[in-house]
């Protein structure tokens, strides 16, 4: 039976016969032996397959075809490896190339490639150490998200992807239509959405929050985890047009409970990454971001700093010369401000609360001062916001006023307002950008490198 390389490394080097299938990373030929490094993605490390003189001679024709990237089948016995850093290797007996990868066309030859180059071959980049590691960590983190909430009695709710309401009220939605736009444009007629597929204008969702709140008001502890879409023209290393978001929502939780949940959640995910993705994280620590492992361990051990937006702005105003964008009360915190607060002021994660209502969404609970809302953003060093959340406005009249003041259409939110009409409760929730989490635990620099096929302005290849 074929075992994965990860499974082979868990076996004793007792000479048992094994079959390895995977892709060649490197081939090294000496006078007396041939060494093939084979990888199948089950773990970072390759398995070394060694052909002694006799085995090399009997498989000579196949070995000649076995360049980097070729898929292969190696049959042999599992023995102790004299090479350092690996317990076992395969003493090869027979060998077969399944699919060749001609060196003159295969772009992933044994040398360092830039992230930019690898982005252009996104269909092949999972075969590199870095992107294999990203994929494995991403998989483990997705599972850990579910484990965290399932262990705490949360119900996973599948919120819709196509929607007719703007959950953030920011107008950053991609339209979904089956109307023949060419024909309408040529005809000069106005667009009639009643003739569109859904009988009204529809979009891809920017957040599952409003829908998940409805289930929160029945099941108490819920979360959604799915793709979300933002048509915001942000060409940065932190923004995607399509990203995955985890949004828990808890009935009867106030903003303090919400902060505790967010902190526990991030720490729990970091703990799983350190324990279950140790080989991959060690690689990231050595090759991508020095000090990553220490940073994660420190983050788990210490409580997150907390301050209000007003306090944060006071800190920033002490050194206005440090910023391109001068901080003042009422400004939206820029990424340079978030970096400064987390890196220079607190030296770790920071939860900022009580932002001015003008720069936050309509659904956040208005404080007694009438000026700020019970928002909470979790900021981290390097890239700033990783989580955004709030206590929700549960008072019908206040929420209606906010919707009107912001010029949003009350009719589209009538069902959302019903939650306040019937059995309203204080409740809170937040959104964790899954790719921001991935940046955090891998130390990767660009968000386009922690999702398999990134979508961003002018970028939707593959
Ligand atoms: O702060 P945001 O916009 O909040 C919401 O969508 C709320 N509905 C969440 C909630 O309370 N249930 O987004 C939440 C998080 C951000 O903190 C960030 O991590 C991530 O989603 N995010 C993005 N990630 C990648 N690319 C983008 N364009 C992102 N926009 C937000
Ligand atoms: Mg936000």
């Amino acid at each position: 039976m074929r075992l994965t390389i990860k499974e082979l490394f868990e076996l004793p080097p007792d000479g048992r016969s094994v079959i390895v299938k995977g892709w060649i990373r490197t081939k090294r030929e000496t006078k007396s032996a041939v060494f093939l490094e084979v990888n199948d993605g089950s773990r970072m490390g390759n398995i070394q397959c060694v052909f002694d003189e006799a085995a090399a001679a009997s498989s000579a024709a196949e070995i000649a075809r076995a360049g980097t990237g070729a898929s292969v089948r190696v049959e042999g016995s599992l023995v102790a490896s004299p090479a350092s850093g690996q317990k076992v290797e395969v003493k090869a007996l027979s060998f077969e190339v399944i699919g060749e990868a001609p060196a003159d066309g295969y772009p992933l030859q044994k040398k360092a490639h830039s992230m930019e180059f690898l982005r252009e071959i996104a269909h092949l980049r999972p075969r590199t150490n870095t992107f294999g590691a990203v994929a494995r960590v991403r998989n483990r983190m997705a599972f850990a998200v579910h484990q965290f909430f399932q262990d705490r009695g949360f119900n996973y709710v599948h919120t819709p992807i196509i929607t007719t309401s703007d959950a953030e009220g920011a107008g950053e939605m991609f339209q979904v239509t089956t109307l023949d736009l060419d024909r309408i444009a040529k005809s000069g007629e106005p667009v009639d959405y009643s003739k569109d597929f859904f009988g009204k204008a529809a979009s891809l969702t920017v957040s599952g929050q409003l829908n998940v709140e409805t289930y929160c008001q029945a099941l108490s502890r819920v979360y959604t985890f799915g793709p979300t879409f933002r048509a915001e023209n942000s060409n940065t290393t932190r923004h995607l047009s399509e990203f995955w978001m985890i949004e828990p929502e808890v009935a009867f939780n106030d903003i303090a409970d919400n902060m505790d949940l967010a902190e526990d959640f991030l720490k729990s995910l970091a703990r799983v990454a350190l324990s279950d993705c140790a080989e991959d994280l060690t690689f990231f620590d050595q090759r991508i971001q020095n000090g990553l492992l220490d940073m994660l361990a420190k983050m788990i051990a210490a409580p997150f700093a907390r301050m209000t937006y007003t306090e944060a702005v006071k800190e920033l105003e002490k050194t206005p010369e440090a910023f391109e964008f001068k901080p003042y009360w009422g400004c939206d915190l820029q990424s340079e401000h978030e970096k400064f607060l987390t890196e220079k002021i607190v030296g770790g994660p920071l939860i900022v609360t009580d932002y001015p209502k003008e720069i936050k969404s309509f659904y956040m609970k208005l404080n007694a001062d009438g000026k700020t809302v019970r928002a909470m953003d979790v900021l981290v060093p390097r890239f700033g916001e990783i989580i955004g959340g709030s206590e929700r406005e549960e008072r019908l009249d206040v929420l209606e006023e906010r919707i009107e003041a912001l010029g949003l259409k009350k009719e589209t939110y009538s069902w959302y307002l019903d939650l306040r009409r019937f059995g309203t409760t204080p409740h809170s929730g937040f959104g964790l950008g899954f790719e921001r989490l991935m940046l955090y635990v891998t130390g990767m620099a660009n968000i386009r490198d922690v999702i398999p096929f990134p979508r961003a302005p002018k970028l939707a290849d593959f």
Side-chain angles (χ1 to χ4, degrees), residues 168 230 338 359-360 363-364 376-377 385 387-389 431 436:
E168 291 300 300
R230 305 257 167 125
E338 296 177 341
I359 57 171
K360 289 291 180 189
Y363 51 70
M364 297 190 180
M376 48 145 266
D377 279 6
E385 180 182 342
I387 283 179
R436 300 261 175 108

Side-chain angles (χ1 to χ4, degrees), residues 187-205:
S187 74
E189 293 162 26
V191 178
D192 179 2
Y193 286 112
S194 71
K195 299 212 175 89
D196 202 351
F197 191 89
F198 297 104
K200 52 175 139 175
S203 306
L204 296 177
T205 192

Side-chain angles (χ1 to χ4, degrees), residues 41 44 125-126 129-147 225-229 238-246 265 269 272-274 276-278 280-281 284 432-444 446-455:
M44 162 84 53
R125 67 180 182 168
N129 282 336
T130 303
F131 288 90
V134 167
R136 284 184 296 271
V137 174
R138 193 176 163 109
N139 165 69
R140 187 64 190 88
M141 288 294 95
F143 187 43
V145 163
H146 289 293
Q147 281 180 316
F225 181 4
T228 52
F229 308 85
R238 318 181 297 289
H239 289 92
L240 290 166
S241 310
E242 175 179 302
F243 63 98
W244 288 67
M245 184 154 53
I246 298 117
F265 183 40
L269 294 172
V272 172
L274 285 173
D276 290 13
C277 307
D280 291 324
L281 259 64
F284 289 123
L432 168 66
F434 190 54
E435 289 73 23
R436 300 261 175 108
L437 170 78
M438 284 297 298
L439 289 179
Y440 192 65
V441 298
T442 62
M444 293 289 284
N446 192 323
I447 200 162
R448 296 176 187 194
D449 298 331
V450 294
I451 188 165
F453 299 102
R455 270 79 180 101

Side-chain angles (χ1 to χ4, degrees), residues 40-58:
D40 66 0
S42 58
R43 53 167 284 184
M44 162 84 53
N46 308 320
I47 195 153
Q48 177 167 268
C49 301
V50 186
F51 297 74
D52 63 19
E53 235 175 316
S58 68

Side-chain angles (χ1 to χ4, degrees), residues 42-247:
S42 58
R43 53 167 284 184
M44 162 84 53
N46 308 320
I47 195 153
Q48 177 167 268
C49 301
V50 186
F51 297 74
D52 63 19
E53 235 175 316
S58 68
S59 296
E62 285 296 274
I63 288 173
R65 296 168 62 215
T68 296
S71 56
V72 298
R73 176 185 188 280
V74 186
E75 206 170 331
S77 49
L78 193 69
V79 298
S81 178
S84 73
Q86 55 189 33
K87 284 193 313 235
V88 295
E89 63 183 31
V90 172
K91 182 178 166 4
L93 295 172
S94 74
F95 177 61
E96 181 194 337
V97 172
I98 298 168
E100 274 186 76
D104 58 359
Y106 186 57
L108 288 176
Q109 296 306 322
K110 180 79 192 160
K111 65 170 183 136
H113 298 286
S114 72
M115 295 292 172
E116 289 74 19
F117 171 71
L118 293 172
R119 240 168 264 148
E120 288 168 16
I121 50 165
H123 58 306
L124 297 174
R125 67 180 182 168
R127 302 180 188 197
T128 63
N129 282 336
T130 303
F131 288 90
V134 167
R136 284 184 296 271
V137 174
R138 193 176 163 109
N139 165 69
R140 187 64 190 88
M141 288 294 95
F143 187 43
V145 163
H146 289 293
Q147 281 180 316
F148 178 87
F149 289 118
Q150 296 296 325
D151 284 349
R152 287 163 181 74
F154 284 65
N155 283 281
Y156 178 29
V157 178
H158 294 102
T159 51
I161 287 169
I162 297 174
T163 179
T164 53
S165 50
D166 183 346
E168 291 300 300
E172 292 174 338
M173 314 244 282
F174 287 102
Q175 200 177 335
V176 175
T177 183
T178 52
L179 291 174
D180 184 343
L181 301 179
D182 270 348
R183 197 197 57 75
I184 295 171
K186 280 184 201 132
S187 74
E189 293 162 26
V191 178
D192 179 2
Y193 286 112
S194 71
K195 299 212 175 89
D196 202 351
F197 191 89
F198 297 104
K200 52 175 139 175
S203 306
L204 296 177
T205 192
V206 294
S207 155
Q209 179 194 323
L210 304 192
N211 296 88
V212 94
E213 276 190 54
T214 65
Y215 276 72
C216 171
Q217 294 305 308
L219 302 179
S220 299
R221 290 185 198 168
V222 296
Y223 69 105
T224 182
F225 181 4
T228 52
F229 308 85
R230 305 257 167 125
E232 94 194 278
N233 197 8
S234 296
N235 249 309
T236 79
T237 54
R238 318 181 297 289
H239 289 92
L240 290 166
S241 310
E242 175 179 302
F243 63 98
W244 288 67
M245 184 154 53
I246 298 117
E247 297 182 274

